């Protein structure tokens, strides 16, 4: 590249004065090549496993196709999307899904951070006990958790009516939309707050203790240290926790299906896709709902990355 490069130096091996750099470059290329060899097959399988259903759903959504009448299959273009987007049931399911996502993720983020602080601060023999106790709900299978909450609030088997003040013995929590959504949200929060706290605990461990000590010496209050030192250094962890949990909450299905099956106005987008595809065997409409759900998930990912503006590679020190 230099104008003074001799034919001998340019034609053969790297310059004798930079052997270390040449070896480092060769090593980096070899490591990258090995990485592709090792991860390549898994990457191809991952793309095939995730890409095929998406493309198949996109294709099926362009047809009027009911599984009980396969001979009547007809290409109708985007008409299924028009039917869905002009149906009040879709918008009711969308509002319920967004409401559940916003409420549960916001509460879980606050509670998860508090639990992460507890797990981070507790010392000695109490540390493994406290961490295990906090993480137990996340180890429970979602279906089991949903049934437990349903039995607790059900009119015939539940005990919550005798515990919650101001509630009559004959009050049916699942007959009213808002009380049913409240129980669904409580179940989600109880089950997945430990997941948020686990991710935030990893972020807390990366906050430099020297910086916090320096802020303390400078006279910063506990709130100022939290707001100006701890949280900025946890930005990447908060984004990952928020994104993972928001995507999970937006696809909520188990709790709704077990507790209400979408009755009393508690339908969600995933439950709507299930009802159209599995219960009513409307493959075209169900596929269109699934494609719209996928688009919503992409929008959530895009917004999270844009709002937080976090470079995860740089956060790992690779930048």
């Amino acid at each position: 590249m230099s104008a003074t490069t001799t034919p001998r130096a340019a034609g053969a091996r790297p310059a004798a004065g930079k052997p270390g750099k040449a070896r480092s470059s060769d090593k980096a290329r070899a490591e990258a090549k090995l990485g592709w060899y090792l991860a390549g097959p898994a990457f191809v399988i991952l793309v095939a496993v995730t890409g095929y259903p998406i493309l198949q759903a996109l294709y099926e959504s362009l047809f009027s196709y009911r599984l009980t009448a396969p001979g009547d299959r007809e290409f109708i273009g985007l008409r299924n999307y028009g039917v869905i987007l002009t149906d009040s049931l879709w918008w009711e399911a969308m509002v319920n899904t967004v409401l559940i996502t916003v409420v549960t993720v916001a509460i879980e983020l606050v509670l998860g951070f508090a639990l992460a602080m507890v797990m981070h601060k507790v010392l000695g023999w109490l540390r493994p006990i406290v961490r295990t106790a906090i993480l137990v709900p996340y180890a429970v299978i979602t279906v089991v958790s949903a049934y437990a909450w349903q039995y607790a609030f059900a009119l015939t088997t539940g005990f919550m009516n005798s515990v919650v003040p101001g509630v009559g013995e004959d009050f049916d929590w699942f007959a009213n939309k808002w009380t049913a959504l409240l129980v669904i949200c409580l179940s989600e929060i109880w089950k997945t707050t430990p997941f948020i706290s686990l991710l935030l605990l990893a972020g807390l461990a990366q906050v430099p203790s020297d910086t916090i000590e320096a802020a303390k010496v400078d006279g910063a209050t506990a709130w100022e240290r939290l707001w100006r030192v701890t949280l900025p250094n946890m930005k990447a962890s908060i984004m990952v926790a928020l994104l993972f949990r928001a995507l999970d909450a937006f696809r909520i299905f188990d709790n709704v299906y077990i507790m209400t099956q979408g009755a009393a106005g508690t339908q969600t987008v995933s439950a709507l896709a299930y009802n159209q595809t599995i219960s009513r065997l409307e493959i075209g409409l169900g596929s269109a709902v699934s494609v719209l759900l996928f688009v919503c998930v992409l929008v959530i990912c895009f917004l999270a990355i844009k709002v937080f503006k976090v470079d995860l590679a740089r956060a790992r020190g690779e930048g």
Side-chain angles (χ1 to χ4, degrees):
M1 289 186 286
S2 171
T4 59
T5 303
T6 63
R8 179 183 174 187
R13 307 192 59 82
K18 301 177 181 178
K21 184 177 181 181
R23 282 198 297 271
S24 177
S25 178
D26 291 342
K27 181 181 178 183
R29 282 197 294 270
E31 287 182 349
K33 194 174 180 180
L34 178 62
W36 276 108
Y37 281 142
L38 294 176
F43 179 75
V44 171
I45 293 173
L46 183 65
V47 170
V49 169
T50 57
Y52 174 74
I54 294 171
L55 293 177
Q56 182 69 29
L58 184 61
Y59 175 74
E60 297 291 352
S61 69
L62 303 178
F63 289 86
S64 172
Y65 179 32
R66 191 183 179 100
L67 204 57
T68 54
D72 298 336
R73 182 187 177 108
E74 179 187 4
F75 179 80
I76 58 172
L78 300 176
R79 199 182 305 168
N80 279 332
Y81 295 96
V83 172
I84 293 169
L85 294 175
T86 55
D87 195 314
S88 59
L89 185 59
W90 159 261
W91 292 110
E92 182 186 58
M94 178 59 72
V95 170
N96 290 340
T97 305
V98 172
L99 179 66
I100 292 172
T101 302
V102 172
V103 171
T104 57
V105 173
I107 295 175
E108 287 171 17
L109 199 60
V110 176
L111 291 179
F113 183 77
L115 293 177
M117 290 289 285
V118 171
M119 289 191 288
H120 185 67
K121 294 292 184 183
V122 68
L123 299 174
W125 58 272
L126 272 176
R127 173 171 285 186
I129 298 175
V130 170
R131 291 187 174 184
T132 303
I134 291 175
L135 295 176
V136 161
Y138 191 61
V140 178
I141 299 171
T142 305
V143 174
V144 175
S145 164
Y147 272 118
W149 280 83
Q150 188 204 30
Y151 291 146
F153 283 87
L155 190 59
T156 54
T157 60
F159 60 88
M160 294 305 295
N161 285 358
S162 58
V163 173
V164 179
V167 176
E169 290 293 330
D170 58 346
F171 182 73
D172 189 354
W173 292 82
F174 299 109
N176 179 275
K177 173 179 179 176
W178 301 111
T179 53
L181 287 177
L182 174 64
V183 177
I184 291 170
C185 288
L186 289 175
S187 174
E188 280 283 301
I189 292 168
W190 178 82
K191 172 75 175 62
T192 53
T193 295
F195 174 70
I196 294 273
S197 66
L198 201 59
L199 293 177
L200 295 180
L201 177 63
L204 273 175
Q206 294 179 347
V207 177
S209 58
D210 295 344
T211 309
I212 296 178
E213 290 299 325
K216 193 182 297 184
V217 170
D218 289 342
T221 63
W223 171 255
E224 288 172 336
R225 292 197 300 274
L226 172 66
W227 190 253
R228 296 180 183 276
V229 179
T230 304
L231 291 180
N233 281 288
M234 293 178 60
K235 201 173 178 182
S237 298
I238 293 173
M239 189 207 76
V240 171
L242 193 63
L243 180 59
F244 278 22
R245 185 60 199 116
L247 296 180
D248 191 39
F250 197 83
R251 294 179 288 110
I252 181 172
F253 173 76
D254 312 60
N255 283 320
V256 175
Y257 181 76
I258 290 171
M259 292 187 190
T260 65
Q261 295 190 339
T266 59
Q267 191 81 273
T268 60
V269 175
S270 293
L272 182 63
Y274 173 85
N275 288 335
Q276 292 296 326
T277 309
I278 306 300
S279 301
R280 301 185 65 235
L281 302 178
E282 291 279 3
I283 305 300
L285 278 173
S287 298
V289 174
S290 300
V291 171
L292 290 174
L293 175 61
F294 177 68
V295 172
C296 292
V297 168
L298 289 181
V299 170
I300 292 173
C301 293
F302 177 79
L303 290 177
I305 293 172
K306 282 294 180 184
V307 168
F308 280 87
K309 298 178 181 176
V310 174
D311 185 348
L312 292 178
R314 181 165 296 179
R316 292 198 307 268
E318 297 176 3

